[in-house]
Amino acid sequence: METGTRHTFITKAKTCNMDEYILKLIVGHSIEDITEKVHTHRTIEQLKAEMDKITK
């Protein structure tokens, strides 16, 4: 993903209140919170639902 495109995507995602953990998963950022990283799992449906927030 090009840097400008990446920044635009992240900006739009945050404006739409995308789940922070899912946003980090999508863009490949590291997840420092041990609870989120190890003990929390997201489904494909949850990822899709968060992505849908951007298109609304």
Side-chain angles (χ1 to χ4, degrees):
M1 187 181 287
E2 177 194 326
T3 302
T5 305
R6 181 183 184 88
H7 290 179
T8 299
F9 174 80
I10 293 170
T11 299
K12 287 184 178 230
K14 297 207 44 94
T15 300
C16 296
N17 296 316
M18 180 182 279
D19 179 275
E20 191 77 22
Y21 176 77
I22 290 177
L23 178 58
K24 287 180 180 181
L25 283 177
I26 292 169
V27 298
H29 287 178
S30 63
I31 299 166
E32 302 300 323
D33 185 306
I34 196 72
T35 302
E36 288 284 5
K37 187 175 182 178
V38 176
H39 303 291
T40 305
H41 305 284
R42 299 302 198 280
T43 65
I44 293 298
E45 289 75 24
Q46 288 171 309
L47 292 171
K48 288 179 183 176
E50 291 301 309
M51 291 291 291
D52 285 343
K53 288 181 179 180
I54 295 174
T55 59
K56 293 182 180 178

